[in-house]
Amino acid sequence: MADAALVLTGSPSLAPLLARGALLSPFKRPAPDAEFPRTRLVLPALRVDLARLAAYERVCGFPTGDDALPPTYPHVLGFPLAMRLMSGRDFPLPLLGLVHTSITITRHRAMPATGAYELTVHVEGLAPHRRGTEATVVTEVREGGDVVWESRSTYLARHRTRRPAGPPREEVRKPLPAVAEWRLAEDVGRRYAAASGDRNPIHLHPLTARLFGFPRAIAHGMWTVARCLAAHGTPDSCHVRARFRAPVLLPGTVTYAAQDGRFELRGREDRLHLTGGLYST
């Protein structure tokens, strides 16, 4: 639980935070029992940039012009605060190589794009993972004192553990029925980066992606979730769970599949990139 609140006067700029996190990464010593920042960052009286919102809606496939925020957009608003925490000296996991592994989102009611909101972000804790250490970051959005949107994201730092990393135990399910095939352009990562502010080099160009071990640029995980929810449709009050399974290379072709609230993205030979579920609340 966060101990103290730090009230910000504006949203932090992501580029310096990425640079700071990259510079500090070699000095981090990740472990499940490490100390982590207990501060809760607060951004009051937040208003949405409608032009940036429209760009986000276009790249993700949401209808533009509606006076309502897409269910994934508050993550974009909270990401700079999360990055401020995760790029700091007191965050024990290295920012370089940190993998967004899952997100759960609960939207309690429709959120007008023209509304004023209070945004809070804190690190909930660390936990052991079969491949390293996982951090949970909590984001909450309030309107008039009420929580209207909240999420929990997990981020994995891979490192040696005392236990061998065997395959995860998961329920074997048949592939969901295919709904659509999407051909993804090479510039999807750059377009999403411009709309979201997340300019991680693995998403921008093949050359910068190769520096981190990818043959080509990869799509943002949160873009894949947003694109699926845009195709699926979401009620005003809903709960979303999504787990990122494998990167989506750009350009590329993926299959969007859905049934009974569940959805997934598959690649060649039915390789799973994303699995998730959408539930009314």
Side-chain angles (χ1 to χ4, degrees):
M1 186 70 180
D3 292 339
L6 175 61
V7 179
L8 306 179
T9 58
S11 185
S13 176
L14 276 171
L17 297 178
L18 282 168
R20 180 177 72 173
L23 289 173
L24 292 175
S25 287
F27 305 100
K28 299 298 180 76
R29 297 294 180 265
D33 58 353
E35 286 297 316
F36 58 90
R38 309 282 176 159
T39 304
R40 178 168 55 94
L41 299 182
V42 182
L43 183 60
L46 172 68
R47 290 194 175 272
V48 174
D49 182 328
L50 297 182
R52 186 175 170 187
L53 171 62
Y56 175 89
E57 290 169 335
R58 285 192 294 269
V59 71
C60 295
F62 292 107
T64 58
D66 291 348
D67 186 28
L69 296 180
T72 47
Y73 196 68
H75 174 85
V76 172
L77 300 175
F79 189 64
L81 280 68
M83 283 295 298
R84 176 164 170 169
L85 292 173
M86 292 191 292
S87 65
R89 292 182 181 275
D90 54 352
F91 186 72
L93 309 187
L95 194 62
L96 285 182
L98 202 62
V99 179
H100 194 183
T101 50
S102 74
I103 187 169
T104 63
I105 294 171
T106 302
R107 184 171 66 181
H108 298 282
R109 63 174 184 249
M111 302 172 62
T114 52
Y117 301 100
E118 179 185 88
L119 188 68
T120 67
V121 178
H122 70 272
V123 179
E124 187 174 67
L126 305 178
H129 185 278
R130 64 189 182 88
R131 290 184 174 173
T133 298
E134 208 166 48
T136 299
V137 178
V138 176
T139 302
E140 295 177 333
V141 181
R142 288 176 172 81
E143 183 181 29
D146 297 328
V147 175
V148 294
W149 186 98
E150 54 191 312
S151 75
R152 277 173 170 76
S153 280
T154 57
Y155 296 91
L156 172 66
R158 293 190 177 100
H159 60 84
R160 289 184 178 180
T161 63
R162 295 177 181 177
R163 296 179 301 173
R169 294 179 180 178
E170 296 182 355
E171 180 183 353
V172 177
R173 293 181 173 180
K174 294 181 180 179
L176 299 177
V179 175
E181 185 178 85
W182 297 334
R183 290 181 173 85
L184 309 183
E186 185 267 342
D187 67 345
V188 164
R190 294 192 293 275
R191 291 171 55 211
Y192 183 84
S196 68
D198 183 359
R199 291 181 170 84
N200 187 318
I202 63 176
H203 304 302
L204 303 181
H205 297 280
L207 182 59
T208 53
R210 287 190 197 109
L211 296 175
F212 296 91
F214 297 100
R216 304 195 298 276
I218 65 173
H220 294 72
M222 285 305 300
W223 178 85
T224 64
V225 176
R227 184 67 186 89
C228 287
L229 293 179
H232 194 288
T234 55
D236 290 343
S237 177
C238 62
H239 180 72
V240 178
R241 299 176 187 169
R243 181 164 290 277
F244 307 108
R245 305 289 185 174
V248 175
L249 296 175
L250 299 172
T253 301
V254 293
T255 298
Y256 165 65
Q259 185 179 52
D260 298 331
R262 293 167 52 210
F263 58 86
E264 61 190 26
L265 274 188
R266 301 195 302 265
R268 292 182 178 179
E269 298 178 354
D270 283 337
R271 186 188 189 194
L272 277 176
H273 296 293
L274 171 77
T275 58
L278 173 67
Y279 313 93
S280 297
T281 58

